[in-house]
Amino acid sequence: MANKPLILLIEDELAIRRFLRLALSSDSFRLEEAETGRKALLMAAQEKPDLVILDLGLPDMDGQDLLRQFREWLQVPIIVLSARDQEKQKIDALDGGADDYLTKPFSTGELLARIRVALRNANRISSGADSSTFEQGDLKIDFASRRVFACETEVHLTPLEYKILTLLARQSGRVLTHSFLLKEIWGHHNIQETHYLRVHMANLRRKIERDSAQPKHILTEQGIGYRLASE
Amino acid sequence: MANKPLILLIEDELAIRRFLRLALSSDSFRLEEAETGRKALLMAAQEKPDLVILDLGLPDMDGQDLLRQFREWLQVPIIVLSARDQEKQKIDALDGGADDYLTKPFSTGELLARIRVALRNANRISSGADSSTFEQGDLKIDFASRRVFACETEVHLTPLEYKILTLLARQSGRVLTHSFLLKEIWGHHNIQETHYLRVHMANLRRKIERDSAQPKHILTEQGIGYRLASE
DNA sequence: TTGATTCCTAACTATGTTTTTAAGATGATG
DNA sequence: CATCATCTTAAAAACATAGTTAGGAATCAA
């Protein structure tokens, strides 16, 4: 957030884009616009906005899907706009990672106030940390494109392996317990199956460690869980 | 946030209190209620809620005033309820420190979803900030990564050793009796096996003391127990 | 249907941890 | 200063946890 926060507006209707352009690109914000979900994903990865305003009713993609895709790697606040005032949709969006939900028509004043709230929260959370990529020694994760590099080359991870690795990376340094990992990845039914972890950790290490017998990234805490090296 | 988050509901109308009591005090939340602003301020200070729901239209105090008073010292999210859908009031509340604003009538589902969003944000904030460590002379414990440093290097502790050390560290300076330590670590069956302690204390000292014959950290109180030096 | 991919299963090996045992050191007490 | 209880240390035995590997079921796209 160099100076003015950058807002990414994702909205297909020209009229509303015009309206919001007037309201937002004052002297307090910079504004980028995308008319489609596909373009929005690209722009979010490139421009690293400080906040996203997302209209749920895009023509090319399902809004909930798009929201979910964003939330796999994007940490910044997302304010959802929607023409429909349906309770279920609201709840799904909020639980799917949206920070706020506004039903059209809304006043610019309210939208601006809610943007200020979202940015206020975001500032408290991460002062400056760019979390769309993780880098540690020869290991690099690009969350936006879901790609992982290690030992000077790109490595291919299965969906499960990627999920495990990103869980560890998002809290790198911290020890994640067996039960936490099992619950997050396999659900609470499988909270006992620690051997799932063992085999997948072994596979992950084979892919991202120089010497999987002496792991430098994925460290095990006997009897407790695993931790991704940081620093 | 011990287990279930504690919500403080500030609302004068009995009907709405009843309604929200039903909606909120399910198995996910604990609920405290206050009918007046004065009582609310007292309760918030005493009970340390994880989230506040504040009706702006209280009889004894101006809502905006109350909100401002809360925000002078209260960090937790505040969700504002109001009967009126006035833009100015909304903006004032949001800029005054409220995290969300709901106009009556609203659905319980939406309220619950917005509570989840607020708690989610609050959790991200507090979990990022807690990088709690213990430090005493050349001994350092990082609780998040479960790492221990002594004599200028990282030392590897077994789960048992780590548990013993953190028990001592969390109450450093205080003497922990044999029976207390045995009960905490091995359970009350083994409350007699003081030699367990001796063996593991010896191992711990070998790892974290410069000279285990003259321990500077783990001090023994003959016939009583052990104590971790402080200051 | 085939082939590729991913994930689970299970048996096996390797490594680490805890308990047991026992001998030597220290400190308190009369 | 002799004795007893308490503590330290070391090392082996018993136990628990983690890593490796490969085969086969399930899924999915060509």
Side-chain angles (χ1 to χ4, degrees), chain A residues 86-151:
Chain A
Q86 281 182 8
E87 185 186 2
K88 188 177 177 320
Q89 198 181 40
K90 267 192 202 179
I91 294 172
D92 282 351
L94 291 168
D95 283 339
D99 289 80
D100 209 335
Y101 188 108
L102 281 173
T103 309
K104 299 180 203 169
F106 48 82
S107 79
T108 24
E110 181 177 356
L111 175 62
L112 284 167
R114 287 186 184 271
I115 288 173
R116 285 193 291 271
V117 169
L119 289 175
R120 188 169 72 202
N121 278 331
N123 264 334
R124 277 207 296 162
I125 289 168
S126 66
S127 310
D130 166 30
S131 50
S132 71
T133 154
F134 172 91
E135 210 161 350
Q136 180 51 230
D138 66 355
L139 174 65
K140 186 179 163 192
I141 309 170
D142 185 330
F143 295 110
S145 62
R146 290 180 77 99
R147 295 205 297 172
V148 174
F149 304 84
C151 314

Side-chain angles (χ1 to χ4, degrees), chain A residues 31 33 109 166 171 225:
Chain A
L31 187 67
E33 301 173 19
T166 49
Q171 310 223 55

Side-chain angles (χ1 to χ4, degrees), chain B residues 118-131:
Chain B
L119 290 174
R120 187 169 75 203
N121 280 331
N123 262 333
R124 276 208 296 163
I125 290 168
S126 62
S127 73
D130 104 78
S131 171

